Amino acid sequence: MRTQVAIVGAGPAGLLLGALLHRAGIDAVIVEQRSAPYVLGRIRAGVLERTTVDLLEEAGVAGRLRREGLPHDGTELAFDDRLHRIDFKALTGQRVTVYGQTEVTQDLMEARAAAGLTTVYEAQQVSVDGFDGRTPVVRFRKDGVEHTLECDFIAGCDGYHGVTRASVPPAAITTYEKVYPFGWLGVLADVPPAREELVYAHHERGFALCSQRSRTRSRYYLQCSLDDKAERWSDDMFWDELRRRLPAEVAQTVVTGPSIEKSIAPLRSFVAEPMRFGRLFLAGDAAHIVPPTGAKGLNLAASDVGYLARGLAEFYLDKSEAGIDAYSARCLRRVWQAERFSWWFTSLMHRFPETGAFGQKMQQAELAYLVGSPAAATALAENYVGLPMA
Ligand code: APR
Ligand code: PHB
């Protein structure tokens, strides 16, 4: 088997890259270790920046997003039993679109199947080799048969636990990491959202977030301890704790119902540098992780593959290596900005027991500053709606 670009991983990064390359007339094969239903079953965030929506438009997969995505012109911060609105539209002229990562993934999968493009699902023992020279290969087993996929380039879109980053010689890569001392307990339920917009709540019992997927499906999160177990939380316990952490006017409007999904995720900041090793490019979670506060993960995956598709199009169509040579630095500039914002927003909103009373006073002072100063509010808003793609 031979292709121009072998993509490892069929998450949003791999699928969007495949769609953008197809538009540019570049041939790609995706190799994914899980099944398509498994990939679609993972519940992730759902706030899209304008640049992500633009890339999905460019890839020709934004039809349903245009119809069903919910435009949000702002968000609400809750603390001291009060709500404060951050008006993105007024402060930046921009908005975000609420549309689940599951929906993005499904739209990309359907478009790929409709175009007759090859995705190998349930590939086993995936390995990458030869990317330091001119003949990279991706090897895998499928239905008991060994396959070798020869290619010009490999795109490592296989997430944080993938094989591509792990295949780079340790001396060639530098990683930066921060692990937070708590997790997020998330619940998905078919109930209407408590508020029109998302609510990020700072509370002495811990952070809470009211998010949503549609007018009839809500996503809620609670800061929890790292050794907590989702099974320990009955639905009633979850709803009670959520309401305790929200201002009364929001708590009253929370509609409860049976959870469809309940899970705990740890919070991590992680960056691997560089993002290119010869003919291997890392993109999305394979190269970096942000804590979910601010919903930057999917947006960064999208901008990475936006830069990569552009660079590869220049390589094949204009015979120029400038775009692929600039790939890593271009991505990392944007990645570190999103890392900073996600770390800052996480640090501001969560309860950090070890920082003590002084740390809490600093958070309170900063929250008051944020909602009292248009300059501070604009700094939040412009990062939340997304910094421009250079
Ligand atoms: N071989 C093939 N595929 C693999 C391998 C492997 N060895 N290891 C992992 N994969 C697949 C996973 O099964 C998954 O489908 O790679 C895919 C990676 O997808 P994601 O983890 O969704 O990562 P990415 O596409 O970069 O999307 C980033 O996902 O984690 C969220 O917050 C993050 O929203 C962001 C988005
Ligand atoms: C989500 O809807 O899952 C979500 C939204 C915003 C965040 C994080 C997660 O900051």
Side-chain angles (χ1 to χ4, degrees), residues 8-14 31-34 38-39 42 44-45 101 123 126 157-164 283-286 289-290 296-299 301:
V8 184
V31 179
E32 161 64 52
Q33 69 177 3
R34 304 286 190 172
Y38 182 95
V39 171
R42 291 189 293 232
R44 261 89 180 258
Q101 178 168 324
V126 179
C157 301
D158 49 350
Y160 181 66
H161 299 287
V163 68
T164 56
D285 279 15
I289 297 287
V290 284
K296 290 291 165 220
L298 172 58
N299 294 295

Side-chain angles (χ1 to χ4, degrees), residues 44-47 184 198 200 209 211 213 219 221 292-295 384:
R44 261 89 180 258
V47 180
W184 275 19
L198 274 61
Y200 289 86
L209 171 60
S211 183
R213 291 288 176 271
R219 179 76 166 153
Y221 296 97
T293 331
Y384 198 99

Side-chain angles (χ1 to χ4, degrees), residues 12-285:
L15 288 165
L16 178 56
L17 178 61
L20 291 168
L21 292 177
H22 178 58
R23 287 268 146 167
I26 299 165
D27 184 53
V29 168
I30 303 185
V31 179
E32 161 64 52
Q33 69 177 3
R34 304 286 190 172
S35 67
Y38 182 95
V39 171
L40 283 174
R42 291 189 293 232
I43 312 289
R44 261 89 180 258
V47 180
L48 309 185
E49 296 176 4
R50 163 77 183 280
T51 54
T52 304
V53 173
D54 288 350
L55 284 165
L56 291 165
E57 289 275 5
E58 191 183 323
V61 293
R64 189 160 70 101
L65 161 64
R66 244 179 273 127
R67 289 192 304 278
E68 296 178 15
L70 302 172
H72 280 205
D73 288 345
T75 192
E76 291 180 297
L77 299 183
F79 55 93
D80 290 343
D81 208 35
R82 287 187 51 194
L83 276 175
H84 306 264
R85 183 157 187 270
I86 304 289
D87 189 334
F88 302 151
K89 200 75 201 296
L91 294 166
T92 71
Q94 288 190 57
R95 47 171 49 162
V96 292
T97 304
V98 169
Y99 190 70
Q101 178 168 324
T102 308
E103 314 309 320
V104 172
T105 308
Q106 189 180 329
D107 296 346
L108 285 161
M109 279 181 177
E110 283 174 8
R112 194 164 173 84
L117 304 174
T118 310
T119 312
V120 181
Y121 284 101
E122 300 183 274
Q124 294 159 337
Q125 296 166 26
V126 179
S127 66
V128 294
D129 202 2
F131 51 84
D132 49 349
R134 294 198 152 259
T135 52
V137 290
V138 176
R139 295 196 183 87
F140 58 94
R141 273 179 87 82
K142 169 80 183 170
D143 301 328
V145 181
E146 292 280 352
H147 295 269
T148 300
L149 174 60
E150 294 172 4
C151 55
D152 301 330
F153 298 101
I154 300 172
C157 301
D158 49 350
Y160 181 66
H161 299 287
V163 68
T164 56
R165 191 184 70 249
S167 305
V168 172
I173 193 164
T174 307
T175 59
Y176 302 85
E177 183 173 47
K178 176 176 175 64
V179 177
Y180 298 83
F182 42 74
W184 275 19
L185 169 67
V187 155
L188 189 68
D190 276 327
V191 292
R195 303 277 299 173
E196 285 273 311
E197 296 174 342
L198 274 61
V199 181
Y200 289 86
H202 174 87
H203 192 273
E204 61 183 21
R205 297 180 67 88
F207 170 75
L209 171 60
C210 310
S211 183
Q212 51 187 267
R213 291 288 176 271
S214 69
R215 300 212 183 278
T216 56
R217 182 169 282 191
S218 300
R219 179 76 166 153
Y220 289 103
Y221 296 97
L222 293 176
Q223 176 182 353
C224 64
S225 112
L226 271 177
D227 50 25
D228 210 338
K229 297 273 173 283
E231 307 80 71
R232 201 184 68 76
W233 287 80
S234 68
D235 288 354
D236 284 345
M237 273 169 68
F238 183 90
W239 296 121
D240 286 347
E241 183 61 26
L242 176 69
R243 282 182 292 217
R244 279 176 157 171
R245 297 187 190 185
L246 297 172
E249 66 173 304
V250 185
Q252 282 157 14
T253 62
V254 171
V255 183
T256 64
S259 62
I260 312 172
E261 195 259 2
K262 198 186 281 142
S263 57
I264 292 180
L267 274 73
R268 181 192 304 273
S269 298
F270 172 85
V271 180
E273 289 187 347
M275 287 172 60
R276 177 192 180 181
F277 307 89
R279 289 185 165 240
L280 167 66
F281 301 93
L282 302 181
D285 279 15

Side-chain angles (χ1 to χ4, degrees), residues 306-323:
Y307 290 128
L308 185 52
R310 229 195 268 167
L312 290 169
E314 281 176 37
F315 178 86
Y316 285 111
L317 310 179
D318 308 338
K319 310 275 178 262
S320 161
E321 300 201 7

